[in-house]
Amino acid sequence: MNSPSKERIVVAMSGGVDSSVAAVLLKEQGYDVIGISMRLWTYDREATHGCCTPEDLDDARKVAQIHGFPHYIVDLEKDFEKTVVDNFLKSYRMGETPNPCARCNQDVKFSILLKKAKELGAKYLATGHYARRVEENGKIRLYRGKDHGKDQSYFLFALTQEELASVTFPLGELPKSEVRKMAEAYGLLSLAQKPDSQEICFIQGSYADFVEQRLGKEALIKGKMTDESGDILGEHDGIHQFTVGQRKGLGLQSLEPKYVLAVHPDGRVVTGPNESLFKRVFEVREMTWVAEPLEQKASVLAQIRSRFSPKPAEIEILGDGRVKVIFQEPQRAITPGQAAVFFQGEEVLGGGWIDSVQDQS
């Protein structure tokens, strides 16, 4: 970014320590800061987790009030329900395990908030993500945050060049421990040790209960529990209750531990031993590239869920937004519906959605 000189910048404020410090840091640097928080869901007042609960919105407003910059709340509940929640429900009906946080970043936070920022006369939208953007040779490249323990570039793989041109990540070079110290120095004592959100923001109970309430029991896909050979072991009340790698709640009697190996949209839930969860080959759909697309096979680091260290893999371009991925070593519980993100070194190349897992081990 250029020298501040009172340049206007909109900061997406979730009410957590990261986005709050980002906003105050930019204000201290001389930017004309405007804070925006998103109302994404109608919560009970006692809701305590998520990124946009009533308590979080109050925290964001207080930060803006203390440090003297405007703060607005944008009602995006309809957009959020249409793009994120509906996809969440559809994904479970397909036998997948959805990743609504990545979907929210892709379909709500940046696409919609960037428009709001422009409407407010801002050149940039800033967020509290631990990631870095670098302009190189006419392209804007996305890199992992310096603090790999808090790196959030995995969730940002779908950012386009146009979006990256108007986005900045003030915390990308900082460790989380330093950000908490800065919060204390800025007088944000109640936020300095506020825990990070670890849950899906719009669900206060169990995922299965939420799906049942939204879809209705008549729309649930029931079926059979089988072993790897296809032998029937029992029945279940809905595939939405299961995810690859799950052990508890299977309702099966067995001398050896059994895990969910695959969930099929026709109602079949395949179970087996832990070693059968390790696979090497899968395909990805809806592939997007950050800077430029790869046109042939390439060696990459592949990350298949948020809490997973990227591992060496080969990717092969199949066309129509699909790629084939082959890990060097088998990885546990490659799960359809999760985001797969590809790196070369620290750089985010792009990513997509895990579509199918092949039996090769």
Side-chain angles (χ1 to χ4, degrees):
M1 295 190 302
N2 298 323
S3 174
S5 63
K6 284 299 178 181
E7 189 172 60
R8 177 165 293 177
I9 189 166
V10 165
V11 183
M13 300 182 67
S14 67
V17 63
D18 298 323
S19 58
S20 297
V21 167
V24 180
L25 174 63
L26 291 168
K27 179 72 167 21
E28 294 286 305
Q29 291 176 347
Y31 287 95
D32 176 16
V33 170
I34 297 176
I36 286 187
S37 297
M38 300 179 294
R39 179 180 285 113
L40 299 178
W41 200 246
T42 299
Y43 294 97
D44 293 333
R45 188 66 200 182
E46 61 270 19
T48 57
H49 76 250
C51 61
C52 300
T53 65
E55 178 184 359
D56 292 323
L57 298 181
D58 286 345
D59 285 342
R61 177 184 55 79
K62 290 174 183 176
V63 170
Q65 188 176 46
I66 291 170
H67 287 274
F69 58 85
H71 174 258
Y72 303 103
I73 295 175
V74 181
D75 187 351
L76 299 179
E77 187 168 346
K78 290 183 179 179
D79 299 281
F80 183 76
E81 183 168 13
K82 181 179 179 180
T83 58
V84 177
V85 178
D86 285 355
N87 178 273
F88 179 86
L89 299 171
K90 177 184 176 182
S91 190
Y92 267 116
R93 281 182 53 81
M94 293 172 59
E96 298 182 340
T97 300
N99 190 325
C101 294
R103 282 286 182 188
C104 185
N105 277 294
Q106 179 176 348
D107 298 330
V108 178
K109 287 185 178 178
F110 289 97
S111 61
I112 296 177
L113 284 188
L114 273 171
K115 293 178 182 178
K116 297 293 183 183
K118 299 298 184 183
E119 290 172 3
L120 290 168
K123 183 176 181 180
Y124 290 103
L125 170 71
T127 76
H129 286 97
Y130 289 83
R132 295 173 291 150
R133 62 182 289 286
V134 178
E135 297 187 30
E136 296 177 350
N137 302 320
K139 294 284 186 180
I140 304 175
R141 301 188 180 275
L142 181 66
Y143 289 86
R144 298 182 69 187
K146 279 293 182 67
D147 186 342
H148 282 192
K150 291 297 179 181
D151 169 51
Q152 294 169 308
S153 60
Y154 169 83
F155 295 102
L156 306 177
F157 71 88
L159 285 174
T160 66
Q161 286 291 291
E162 182 180 3
E163 289 168 338
L164 280 169
S166 301
V167 171
T168 184
F169 308 112
L171 309 185
E173 300 284 345
L174 300 174
K176 181 64 177 252
S177 58
E178 179 65 22
V179 171
R180 291 198 184 279
K181 290 178 182 178
M182 293 171 69
E184 293 179 354
Y186 291 150
L188 310 179
L189 302 181
S190 64
L191 296 181
Q193 298 305 319
K194 186 174 181 179
D196 296 332
S197 174
Q198 301 291 336
E199 305 290 340
I200 295 177
C201 66
F202 55 90
I203 296 179
Q204 299 295 313
S206 76
Y207 302 167
D209 287 347
F210 179 84
V211 173
E212 291 176 14
Q213 291 166 4
R214 299 288 292 190
L215 292 179
K217 290 188 178 296
E218 67 281 355
L220 303 178
I221 300 174
K222 302 178 181 181
K224 308 293 185 183
M225 309 282 290
T226 76
D227 63 16
E228 293 176 88
S229 300
D231 292 334
I232 297 174
L233 305 177
E235 298 182 348
H236 64 80
D237 292 329
I239 59 174
H240 65 288
Q241 302 174 81
F242 305 100
T243 185
V244 173
Q246 179 179 335
R247 177 182 175 184
K248 296 181 179 179
L250 304 189
L252 299 176
Q253 298 296 324
S254 174
L255 295 176
E256 300 294 332
K258 287 188 178 294
Y259 299 81
V260 174
L261 305 182
V263 183
H264 296 282
D266 63 5
R268 288 177 298 128
V269 177
V270 182
T271 66
N274 183 63
E275 54 264 29
S276 294
L277 282 168
F278 287 82
K279 307 288 185 182
R280 293 182 60 224
V281 184
F282 64 99
E283 290 189 9
V284 170
R285 66 177 185 264
E286 301 174 49
M287 185 69 200
T288 61
W289 304 96
V290 175
E292 59 266 321
L294 297 180
E295 297 180 354
Q296 55 189 1
K297 293 182 179 180
S299 297
V300 299
L301 296 172
Q303 183 172 351
I304 55 173
R305 49 185 166 268
S306 60
R307 298 176 189 175
F308 179 92
S309 297
K311 299 294 193 301
E314 295 289 322
I315 60 174
E316 177 183 347
I317 311 303
L318 301 178
D320 294 325
R322 299 184 69 87
V323 300
K324 182 178 182 178
V325 186
I326 306 174
F327 275 118
Q328 284 187 9
E329 300 291 337
Q331 302 299 323
R332 188 180 187 276
I334 303 172
T335 306
Q338 292 290 293
V341 180
F342 307 115
F343 302 80
Q344 282 184 337
E346 297 284 288
E347 183 179 1
V348 182
L349 301 178
W353 304 95
I354 299 174
D355 187 59
S356 61
V357 183
Q358 300 179 17
D359 289 334
Q360 296 99 322
S361 60

